[in-house]
Each structure stands twice: as C-alpha cells, then as structure tokens.
C-alpha cells in the first residue's frame, strides 16, 4: 500500500491531497497487467477508466491514413494517461499500446466520480489541479502551433 500511495502522490492531479485523501484514492485503484503489443485501449473506444503506469512503458499513438501508426509519446512509470476520456465522458482520442510487460493502476470512472462526489475537499483539490494541468497543456499546444505557423511562412 505504501508504494501505491507514493505513486499516487507523484501524479500532478493528486499532489495536493493529504494522507487520508490519498488513502481513499488508493482504495479505488485496481491493478492491471498488459503484455507486449497488447492494447490498453483503442482510439474511438468509450473511455471508462484512467491509468497510472507502475512498471513498463506505454506507447500512445494513432493511425494516420496512408502512413500507418504514428507514435505520439512513450510513457514511463509514474505517467497518468487516459484521463481525458474519463473527465469529459468522450471516446478515446488515441491508441495506448504496451511496449513490453506493463503494470498499471486503474481507476474506473464511476469509482472516481463517487470519490469526488462524497469528498468535496478532495474534489476541489483534484479539479483545480486538472485545471492547471489542462491550462499548461493548452499553452504548450499554442506554443507549438505558433512555432509551426512561423516555420511554414518561410
């Protein structure tokens, strides 16, 4: 349990939680293992859980028509992924594929939502952390787009 709580505490959206809140979060975590080449999830699937890598690597990619698979990122232990579809109740926007044996902690959306519903302080901390995380991602995307547009002018 100590390893799980330390891993959860290392995730940006859970960093502000106190020991009791981390313990409640750890209670809803399940462990899943994936083997080399196995899909954790596929683009277009309904997103019903988020994942935190305990061990191994996960390749985030999407299929580009005419080109095949394009790897967007390779995630390492401590990385949280799959959270977007859980937060906005939408379909998966990418594929997630095991790069070898991967152990993950997972949190199902109903468990996560129940935890937030019954723990207002925890919900407040997690949701504000999500706002900061999403704002940072949007800034990074804007910077990348600005650079891309500037380069395309030459």
């Amino acid at each position: 349990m100590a390893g799980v709580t330390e891993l959860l505490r290392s995730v940006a959206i859970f960093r502000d939680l106190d020991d009791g809140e981390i313990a409640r979060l750890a209670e809803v975590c399940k462990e899943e293992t994936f083997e080399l080449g196995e899909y954790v999830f596929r683009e277009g699937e309904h997103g019903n859980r988020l994942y935190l890598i305990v061990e191994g690597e996960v390749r985030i990619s999407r299929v580009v028509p005419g080109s095949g698979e394009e790897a967007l990122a390779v995630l390492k232990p401590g990385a949280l992924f799959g959270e977007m579809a859980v937060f906005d109740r939408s379909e998966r926007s990418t594929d997630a594929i095991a790069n070898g044996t991967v152990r993950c902690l997972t949190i199902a959306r109903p468990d996560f939502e129940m935890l937030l519903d019954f723990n207002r302080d925890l919900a407040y901390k997690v949701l504000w952390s999500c706002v900061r995380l999403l704002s940072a991602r949007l800034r990074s995307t804007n910077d990348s787009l600005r650079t891309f547009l500037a380069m395309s002018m030459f």
Side-chain angles (χ1 to χ4, degrees):
M1 184 70 149
V4 170
T5 59
E6 289 310 309
L7 187 60
L8 289 170
R9 192 176 307 288
S10 73
V11 175
I13 66 170
F14 303 138
R15 249 183 227 132
D16 294 338
L17 302 183
D18 64 32
D19 291 343
E21 292 163 338
I22 287 285
R24 284 191 285 286
L25 185 62
E27 289 173 2
V28 300
C29 290
K30 306 280 187 276
E31 189 172 303
E32 283 190 52
T33 302
F34 302 91
E35 298 303 327
L36 175 64
E38 187 177 351
Y39 281 79
V40 178
F41 55 75
R42 293 179 187 267
E43 182 176 355
E45 287 180 350
H46 182 68
N48 60 356
R49 62 183 52 247
L50 55 85
Y51 299 84
L52 175 58
I53 302 174
V54 175
E55 185 179 284
E57 296 181 346
V58 172
R59 187 171 71 252
I60 303 299
S61 64
R62 60 183 343 163
V63 175
V64 176
S67 296
E69 180 189 348
E70 178 185 349
L72 304 173
V74 175
L75 305 178
K76 310 239 184 249
L80 181 72
F81 67 100
E83 75 283 1
M84 285 177 23
V86 170
F87 294 155
D88 67 9
R89 296 176 171 241
S90 65
E91 296 176 344
R92 300 290 186 187
S93 60
T94 61
D95 294 327
I97 306 164
N99 262 3
T101 301
V102 177
R103 277 191 323 123
C104 293
L105 292 179
T106 70
I107 304 174
R109 181 176 45 238
D111 293 336
F112 191 63
E113 288 177 349
M114 190 179 326
L115 190 65
L116 296 179
D117 285 345
F118 290 106
N119 298 277
R120 294 293 176 194
D121 289 342
L122 185 149
Y124 180 84
K125 292 174 187 177
V126 168
L127 295 176
W128 270 110
S129 292
C130 287
V131 167
R132 288 190 296 273
L133 175 68
L134 294 174
S135 292
R137 286 179 180 174
L138 182 57
R139 285 181 192 279
S140 176
T141 300
N142 285 343
D143 290 345
S144 296
L145 184 57
R146 188 176 303 124
T147 300
F148 174 77
L149 290 173
M151 289 174 53
S152 69
M153 296 176 121
F154 297 105

